[in-house]
Amino acid sequence: MTHQTIVVLDFGSQFTQLIARRLRELSVYSEILPFDTPLAEIQRRKPVGIILSGGPTSVLESGAPRCDPAVVEAGVPVLGICYGMQLMTDLLGGKVAPAQHREFGLATIAIQPEAPLFQTIPAELRVWASHGDFVKSAPEGFAVTATSANAPVAAMAAPERGLYALLFHPEVAHTDRGLDLLRNFAFGVCGCTGDWTMSSFVREATERVREQVGDGRVICGLSGGVDSTVAAVLVHRAIGDRLTCIFVDNGVLRMDEAAQIRRRFEHLSLPLVFVDAARLFLDRLGGISDPEQKRKIIGATFIDVFETEARKLGQFDFLAQGTLYPDVIESVSVVGPSHVIKSHHNVGGLPERMRFTLVEPLRQLFKDEVRVLGKELGLDDAFIWRQPFPGPGLAVRILGEVTESRLNLVRRADHIVAEEVKKADWYRRLWQSFAVLLPVQSVGVMGDARTYEYTIAVRAVESRDGMTADWARLPHELLASISSRIVNEVKGINRVVYDISSKPPSTIEWE
């Protein structure tokens, strides 16, 4: 099926894929292409609209990424966002200059009455800004449609030419009514009808897997989380018993997790091989403190185990993974010149010698979409609402070397966090909640005796998709019960702190 398509040109923003995500939330299909894609290649997709993403560079810099100038005169509506607005301004003869007061974070804009794109939007709006340059003067023929204290042109439009631009990011959750702005562009300007649904994704993804795999056999790595579970069910729907699932106990799982996962997957009737490789992983992690080395060691060991099991089970050509958009975005520059944040277990930790071809049916989805997909596939809430857990597991929740004694500390503390959060009915309200073991010892007093023990940091964040996140304002009573239980029940911990950092500038995981 051919869907109405909005093409997103990627200039390197960490939020580029969020634009596509928000459009899909509106049931509008979108496709991300490199910023320098020739116009003919863009037109081959017959887009009903084009969006120019943000980016980390300045349009004033030598070598700044630029699209074909003909893109903004392609005959379809174009929306420039942040860097995309500055590029549109520069291409069309407006003036971009360094801002005296840069805007990073929340800003308030004043909207001109009856401004295009801002229909049904209040006259004053809180938005998420992230720019060091500003539009000093709009190109000829553009009307200024919004202003802020530090930006005389916070939005502009030339409706008769189908050109619109915003100096802020409507795609991030921190922008009030941001989805409405994208809806106004997609439906009001581009004429979309919303013909892309999760049901259509299931059909199309299933067919893509069938076409990719052909008559081949697939191994799927099951972690027990929603991503790998949904990926496995989708691949199984496509190729049936030519899928074999493998669960590897890497020794850095949460309390009793391996046994729980084994029991759960028996109910799904998926062909499952259980491998206890905990000792191998821990031996290879011995003496390693650098977080990137930990991730790469775990990724490489994971593949070693898979290759060993594959030889026992016969010939397999494909490895299925539950890789999601956020994994890819933070690990590599997917399409445009985005900045690398850290490698992920599904992306950056794989050795070049890996002989499997990857099958990644969820690669274009965000976590909340995968949960919707899980519902569509008939999975129950135990799978769908499990909080995200990193592939490197507790290894990246221990700052410093991973040892069995440290694993025991963070594993028990993490279990207490989960129990108390669930008891207080906060589990499904949070994106993630967990414990981190810090390489910090401090003095304490227990039973009139001096102690010198480790510190646990508790992390709890709220998010829609993992791309941005805010620290959760947990009730003081809940924090008190978590702290009291950890200090009293986990011998070796005498202090608990709470992480009140948002993403950005922090990441959700500590490593």
Side-chain angles (χ1 to χ4, degrees):
M1 177 179 177
T2 301
H3 298 283
Q4 291 176 316
T5 300
I6 291 180
V7 166
V8 180
L9 293 187
D10 180 14
F11 291 89
S13 171
Q14 297 294 332
F15 302 138
T16 295
Q17 275 71 10
L18 268 183
I19 301 171
R21 169 65 192 92
R22 297 295 175 245
L23 291 170
R24 290 200 296 267
E25 193 172 323
L26 297 169
S27 298
V28 175
Y29 179 71
S30 63
E31 186 170 347
I32 297 170
L33 298 176
F35 67 90
D36 55 357
T37 301
L39 180 60
E41 181 66 18
I42 296 172
Q43 290 175 327
R44 190 176 66 80
R45 290 159 171 78
K46 300 180 180 178
V48 296
I50 298 170
I51 294 179
L52 312 180
S53 83
T57 55
S58 166
V59 74
L60 303 174
E61 293 178 12
S62 174
R66 290 175 173 269
C67 61
D68 183 338
V71 166
V72 296
E73 305 286 0
V76 298
V78 179
L79 172 63
I81 295 175
C82 199
Y83 179 89
M85 173 178 178
Q86 295 162 16
L87 178 60
M88 182 184 290
T89 300
D90 193 63
L91 290 173
L92 296 175
K95 178 76 171 172
V96 177
Q100 286 187 336
H101 302 284
R102 299 182 302 170
E103 288 187 322
F104 294 100
L106 287 173
T108 300
I109 63 169
I111 299 165
Q112 299 301 314
E114 305 302 318
L117 288 193
F118 292 97
Q119 304 301 313
T120 74
I121 304 294
E124 190 172 276
L125 195 65
R126 279 196 329 159
V127 301
W128 187 261
S130 181
H131 58 89
D133 295 337
F134 77 111
V135 175
K136 191 172 183 179
S137 59
E140 185 177 350
F142 277 75
V144 176
T145 55
T147 61
S148 73
N150 297 316
V153 186
M156 63 184 192
E160 66 285 351
R161 297 164 65 183
L163 301 178
Y164 304 83
L166 308 170
L167 197 57
F168 55 90
H169 291 272
E171 69 272 24
V172 303
H174 299 299
T175 292
D176 293 342
R177 306 294 292 274
L179 190 62
D180 289 335
L181 287 171
L182 292 175
R183 179 185 288 109
N184 289 345
F185 178 71
F187 290 83
V189 174
C190 300
C192 293
T193 58
D195 63 359
W196 188 87
T197 64
M198 196 53 72
S199 294
S200 68
F201 176 84
V202 170
R203 293 193 301 272
E204 293 161 18
T206 301
E207 186 55 38
R208 282 195 296 270
V209 171
R210 287 194 186 113
E211 289 179 5
Q212 180 185 4
V213 172
D215 295 328
R217 299 176 67 204
V218 180
I219 287 179
C220 181
L222 287 178
S223 69
V226 63
D227 306 337
S228 62
T229 300
V230 171
V233 173
L234 192 58
V235 172
H236 190 254
R237 173 178 287 214
I239 65 170
D241 289 342
R242 285 184 289 121
L243 167 72
T244 299
C245 298
I246 295 180
F247 172 75
V248 178
D249 182 355
N250 59 16
V252 288
L253 300 175
R254 291 171 287 197
M255 187 175 290
D256 197 37
E257 190 163 25
Q260 292 175 16
I261 290 170
R262 196 170 188 173
R263 290 193 296 269
R264 285 175 183 172
F265 282 106
E266 288 175 355
H267 297 297
L268 281 177
S269 299
L270 293 175
L272 178 65
V273 174
F274 183 91
V275 183
D276 183 356
R279 189 69 265 160
L280 175 63
F281 279 85
L282 293 181
D283 285 347
R284 291 189 179 182
L285 286 169
I288 302 299
S289 296
D290 181 77
E292 278 297 285
Q293 287 188 357
K294 290 183 196 176
R295 288 176 175 273
K296 292 186 183 298
I297 287 169
I298 289 172
T301 305
F302 173 79
I303 294 302
D304 286 346
V305 173
F306 257 73
E307 289 181 329
T308 299
E309 292 304 316
R311 283 192 290 270
K312 295 177 184 177
L313 297 167
Q315 180 63 39
F316 288 88
D317 305 304
F318 299 91
L319 168 65
Q321 292 190 150
T323 308
L324 305 188
Y325 252 159
D327 297 335
V328 178
I329 296 163
E330 290 190 341
S331 301
V332 294
S333 178
V334 188
V335 179
S338 58
H339 287 185
V340 174
I341 305 300
K342 60 185 177 182
S343 67
H344 275 260
H345 61 287
N346 285 348
V347 184
L350 302 180
E352 293 181 2
R353 65 176 173 76
M354 188 188 74
R355 66 181 182 82
F356 301 114
T357 300
L358 293 181
V359 177
E360 299 174 311
L362 312 181
R363 191 180 177 89
Q364 302 300 310
L365 300 183
F366 288 83
K367 179 73 72 172
D368 53 335
E369 288 185 301
V370 174
R371 287 189 168 124
V372 175
L373 176 57
K375 274 289 189 187
E376 186 75 23
L377 293 171
L379 297 177
D380 61 37
D381 284 353
F383 291 106
I384 293 170
W385 288 104
R386 184 176 183 265
Q387 288 183 357
F389 187 60
L394 298 178
V396 292
R397 292 179 180 173
I398 296 173
L399 275 61
E401 184 182 0
V402 178
T403 65
E404 290 199 46
S405 61
R406 289 180 173 182
L407 274 168
N408 184 51
L409 292 177
V410 75
R411 187 175 279 131
R412 292 170 62 196
D414 186 77
H415 185 66
I416 290 170
V417 172
E419 282 190 335
E420 292 300 314
V421 166
K422 289 176 181 177
K423 188 188 303 182
D425 200 26
W426 269 81
Y427 189 79
R428 283 180 58 165
R429 295 170 62 178
L430 297 173
W431 177 263
Q432 279 175 272
S433 51
F434 54 88
V436 179
L437 181 66
L438 305 186
V440 175
Q441 290 177 278
S442 63
V443 174
V445 178
M446 292 185 179
D448 295 325
R450 178 186 184 275
T451 63
Y452 191 63
E453 296 176 337
Y454 284 104
T455 299
I456 283 287
V458 174
R459 182 75 157 141
V461 297
E462 296 176 300
S463 178
R464 293 180 62 183
D465 42 47
M467 291 303 301
T468 60
D470 197 12
W471 62 278
R473 275 63 170 175
L474 296 181
H476 289 179
E477 295 79 8
L478 173 54
L479 291 173
S481 63
I482 290 172
S483 176
S484 177
R485 282 195 60 193
I486 289 175
V487 170
N488 282 291
E489 297 177 28
V490 185
K491 185 177 175 60
I493 304 295
N494 68 356
R495 191 176 299 274
V496 176
V497 298
Y498 188 53
D499 182 348
I500 59 170
S501 309
S502 297
K503 176 186 178 181
S506 302
T507 54
I508 294 176
E509 298 290 343
W510 277 51
E511 290 190 340

